[in-house]
Amino acid sequence: MAVGRHIRRYRAGSRPFSRGSAWSWRLLLGLAVLCRVLGAAAEEPIRMNQIQVVATHNSYHQRPSDFVLSVALAVTDGARAWDYSHAPLDLQLDWGVRSFELDIHHKADGFAVFHAPYIDEGSSCPTLIECLDTVRAWSLAHPRHVPIIFLLEIKDEAIALDPRILPIDAGALDKLDAEIRSVFAPHELIAPDDVRGDAATLEAAVLERGWPALDDVRGRVMFVLHEIGATRDLYTSGRPSLEGRAMFIRSQEGRDDAAFLIVDYPRVNAIQRLVSKGYMVRTRADAGLRVDADRRDAALESGAHVVTTDFPPRRPHEETGYTVEFADGPVRRNPVTAPPACRVAALEPGP
């Protein structure tokens, strides 16, 4: 059952009145009294790490042809996970997605966006610039949106098979930052320097001072380099808190640059501990086109800020109806980090 549909039915009052629901009404009454007593103190501004949004996995992906898919399946059963297409990025935004994951390949003329050379190259925006231009145009038309978060994964496994793909070095990473900044102006981007401010490290900033207020970063985008190992080391070399960089990184607790963490499987207790400390976290509600309502519900319960799925709003699983969505729009208050609110204002007002 889709989370959103379940919530809608609950709110519509389809469950019978019970002793438990009577207790719930008393709780709500108590909260109302508390709000009256606390007054403005309970109305602190909500921050960008106090919300939760839905992301798509391989957001650009377009299904290979039947012929190509059949050939790929003869080689690897893993090709079954390529049997899907996502809508264009701006349409996904219309439907409620607020985070994208893009696989990028370094080429002489820039960064291309696709999954695997020759056999799985279908993309709704074949270059990174095209993808970013699409999102920027939508953003300008909807300036009150919550931050849109991109995860960029650099693919270099097929360099030996495809001479078009170039190795990643320090210059390539500078080139990647430059491509991002060629589309988004500084005031349209949430960069590590913006969050760190005058704190000693980026990690200290998010753990001690916190992330920016949501109203201060509406209409902006944020990038995360979804890499570890040598590529991450190149990107952070000489920049322990990502000084001057356009992107955050997939980091780890205790690093100077620790602000955004990735926990692929939604281990609820582990993620709740991380988000409670002040880190932003991304997790996956599903993987490999396999639906798992328990995993999805754990991902949402965990408080991860970005919950990634192959089945976003308007694109449910054909057989089960499984999807990842919220009842009241593209964003909801984070179940772990959001402060109590007496008046729940729209988290994403209209344009």
Side-chain angles (χ1 to χ4, degrees):
M1 179 187 299
V3 172
R5 291 197 291 273
H6 175 77
I7 294 173
R8 290 189 189 100
R9 284 205 293 270
Y10 181 83
R11 289 181 175 172
S14 60
R15 293 186 178 184
F17 189 85
S18 66
R19 187 174 301 172
S21 59
W23 180 89
S24 298
W25 281 112
R26 286 196 290 271
L27 176 61
L28 290 173
L29 180 60
L31 288 173
V33 172
L34 180 63
C35 281
R36 188 177 183 89
V37 172
L38 294 178
E43 297 298 325
E44 60 183 276
I46 193 163
R47 295 180 178 271
M48 63 175 286
N49 67 316
Q50 294 174 330
I51 61 174
Q52 190 174 60
V53 299
V54 174
T56 44
H57 171 248
N58 289 355
S59 309
Y60 58 87
H61 192 266
Q62 302 296 290
R63 181 184 184 276
S65 69
D66 290 342
F67 172 75
V68 170
L69 197 57
S70 65
V71 171
L73 283 169
V75 176
T76 172
D77 193 58
R80 295 185 187 280
W82 306 348
D83 190 11
Y84 70 99
S85 293
H86 280 308
L89 301 189
D90 51 354
L91 192 53
Q92 291 185 51
L93 288 164
D94 283 341
W95 292 349
V97 173
R98 290 296 179 270
S99 181
F100 299 116
E101 299 181 7
L102 306 178
D103 291 330
I104 60 176
H105 301 256
H106 181 212
K107 293 187 175 182
D109 58 352
F111 288 88
V113 176
F114 60 91
H115 186 231
Y118 304 122
I119 55 174
D120 194 20
E121 287 195 0
S123 178
S124 63
C125 45
T127 69
L128 180 60
I129 293 292
E130 289 179 71
C131 295
L132 302 190
D133 279 340
T134 297
V135 172
R136 184 173 185 268
W138 186 93
S139 175
L140 291 174
H142 303 80
R144 299 296 292 162
H145 68 77
V146 300
I148 298 167
I149 300 175
F150 290 88
L151 271 65
L152 302 185
E153 183 173 353
I154 299 175
K155 295 286 191 178
D156 57 4
E157 304 93 327
I159 288 178
L161 299 175
D162 187 347
R164 300 171 300 171
I165 302 174
L166 304 177
I168 294 297
D169 55 18
L173 294 171
D174 291 342
K175 178 179 170 182
L176 179 54
D177 272 1
E179 282 207 5
I180 291 170
R181 289 187 165 126
S182 73
V183 176
F184 293 103
H187 69 277
E188 298 169 334
L189 183 66
I190 303 170
D193 287 342
D194 300 322
V195 175
R196 188 183 69 257
D198 58 2
T201 68
L202 182 57
E203 183 183 53
V206 300
L207 299 188
E208 297 168 14
R209 183 176 60 229
W211 292 81
L214 185 59
D215 282 344
D216 292 338
V217 290
R218 291 188 182 279
R220 299 195 192 188
V221 297
M222 171 177 158
F223 290 82
V224 179
L225 181 63
H226 189 358
E227 296 289 335
I228 57 175
T231 299
R232 184 175 72 176
D233 291 344
L234 274 175
Y235 193 73
T236 61
S237 178
R239 306 167 189 256
S241 284
L242 301 171
E243 292 86 349
R245 284 301 193 187
M247 297 184 287
F248 294 79
I249 63 162
R250 175 179 181 168
S251 193
Q252 296 162 287
E253 282 187 274
R255 290 175 56 110
D256 287 351
D257 54 30
F260 196 98
L261 312 181
I262 292 176
V263 182
D264 282 322
Y265 193 85
R267 302 189 301 275
V268 174
N269 291 339
I271 295 176
Q272 287 183 345
R273 182 184 67 81
L274 294 171
V275 302
S276 296
K277 291 183 71 172
Y279 301 108
M280 289 189 71
V281 174
R282 170 269 199 186
T283 195
R284 294 186 68 170
D286 46 75
L289 299 182
R290 294 185 296 273
V291 301
D292 184 340
D294 290 338
R295 175 172 174 167
R296 173 201 59 198
D297 295 346
L300 294 170
E301 178 190 350
S302 74
H305 305 90
V306 177
V307 178
T308 301
T309 182
D310 288 320
F311 303 97
R314 307 279 188 97
R315 288 296 176 93
H317 186 268
E318 289 185 359
E319 296 176 4
T320 67
Y322 168 99
T323 187
V324 181
E325 63 178 1
F326 304 131
D328 299 318
V331 56
R332 74 169 185 171
R333 295 173 64 84
N334 190 292
V336 175
T337 61
C342 297
R343 298 184 303 275
V344 181
L347 292 173
E348 188 174 281

